[in-house]
Amino acid sequence: MDAIIEVENVSRRFGGITAVNDCSLQVRRGSITGLIGPNGAGKTTLFNMVAGNVAPSSGTIRFDGRKTDGLKPHELFGRGLLRTFQIAHEFSRLTVLENLMMVPAAQPGENLASVWLQGSRMREGERRVRERAEEVVDFLRLGHVAQELAGNLSGGQKKLLELGRTMMVDAKVVLLDEIAAGVNRTLLASLADSIERLNRERGYTFFVIEHDMDLISRLCDPVIVMAAGTVMREGSFGDLRNDAAVVEAYFGGSPTGHATGSVRS
């Protein structure tokens, strides 16, 4: 398997609490891989370690074949690993278009000397960034709110904007954390469409934490199940929904009635 993320025997302890315990998994390049499990299973802590927000207590994480030990989120961002959050982090007083234009690093206008001495270069750089942002707005069908302040958007529109930010750079992997939370079903369908298109047309790899089983079953293959801080099972959603151990650990009962739909735990 051509793995773009490799987690090898990783643990994370907080004082006397072990949040992730000797966990190993891989995310295949070009896949949409789901990560599910009950609350407290260690999913978010694992995401935090992959994204560079938290260092492992032990074990190794590799991204695109290179160890990420000691790398910070902005360094991983520069290598093409991006993350969205359950609660969107928009610049509320900037427009949708301006939010997108804030993403690319090392823009000419960030350097005061460039503003004074290389005005034409600065303007050309800003033009290219704006064109890219307009393309993203069109791709995500957000043209009707492009000039709206981001703080005025609905929850689902903010999630689309977060996804749009990942399109402003050359993303290799996007970590999606509870993207369905607080999103109505219509906008969630639009989000799912956009994720599928980015995966199919632009080769994005997605690693998805999600409690909404409809979304997991639509998007993800494979699906990894975590419980008690480590990987319990991995397989297709169809196989896992009928796995008695998974049903007991995650759903707390028989598969009947819990195979599909929005499951919260």
Side-chain angles (χ1 to χ4, degrees), residues 12 14 45-57 61 71 73:
R12 174 65 199 195
F14 298 95
T45 300
L46 178 66
F47 254 42
N48 285 337
M49 289 189 288
V50 172
N53 298 105
V54 174
S57 301
I61 299 175
L71 293 182

Side-chain angles (χ1 to χ4, degrees), residues 61-217:
I61 299 175
R62 291 186 179 86
F63 171 58
D64 208 13
R66 302 165 66 183
K67 287 186 179 182
T68 63
D69 303 35
L71 293 182
K72 302 299 182 185
H74 69 275
E75 294 172 309
L76 290 167
F77 176 94
R79 294 187 181 185
L81 188 148
L82 289 73
R83 179 186 180 175
T84 69
F85 292 87
Q86 182 175 353
I87 299 174
H89 291 69
E90 77 283 353
F91 294 103
S92 60
R93 295 184 179 274
L94 297 181
T95 68
V96 167
L97 203 62
E98 289 167 342
N99 265 264
L100 294 173
M101 292 177 67
M102 289 286 290
V103 176
Q107 297 187 45
E110 296 174 2
N111 187 312
L112 190 57
S114 295
V115 175
W116 287 343
L117 303 175
Q118 299 179 354
S120 60
R121 176 172 172 265
M122 184 197 70
R123 288 189 293 272
E124 175 61 20
E126 183 173 337
R127 183 189 64 78
R128 288 197 300 268
V129 171
R130 186 179 186 88
E131 286 179 354
R132 179 77 174 260
E134 289 171 346
E135 290 173 3
V136 170
V137 162
D138 289 342
F139 183 94
L140 296 175
R141 302 181 180 93
L142 287 173
H144 60 296
V145 292
Q147 300 302 328
E148 182 66 66
L149 294 181
N152 296 336
L153 301 181
S154 70
Q157 289 170 333
K158 289 179 179 180
K159 294 292 180 70
L160 278 168
L161 177 56
E162 285 240 312
L163 190 60
R165 286 177 178 171
T166 72
M167 299 173 61
M168 290 298 296
V169 294
D170 294 323
K172 295 178 181 177
V173 175
V174 179
L175 308 180
L176 298 178
D177 190 354
E178 297 274 9
I179 198 166
V183 180
N184 68 51
R185 306 312 292 182
T186 300
L187 274 174
L188 187 56
S190 181
L191 268 170
D193 287 343
S194 297
I195 291 166
E196 288 173 328
R197 289 178 62 201
L198 286 170
N199 174 254
R200 180 177 64 251
E201 298 173 13
R202 305 197 180 191
Y204 279 34
T205 300
F206 288 95
F207 193 21
V208 184
I209 289 179
E210 189 52 66
H211 281 293
D212 189 303
M213 294 297 104
D214 283 340
L215 192 62
I216 287 287
S217 64

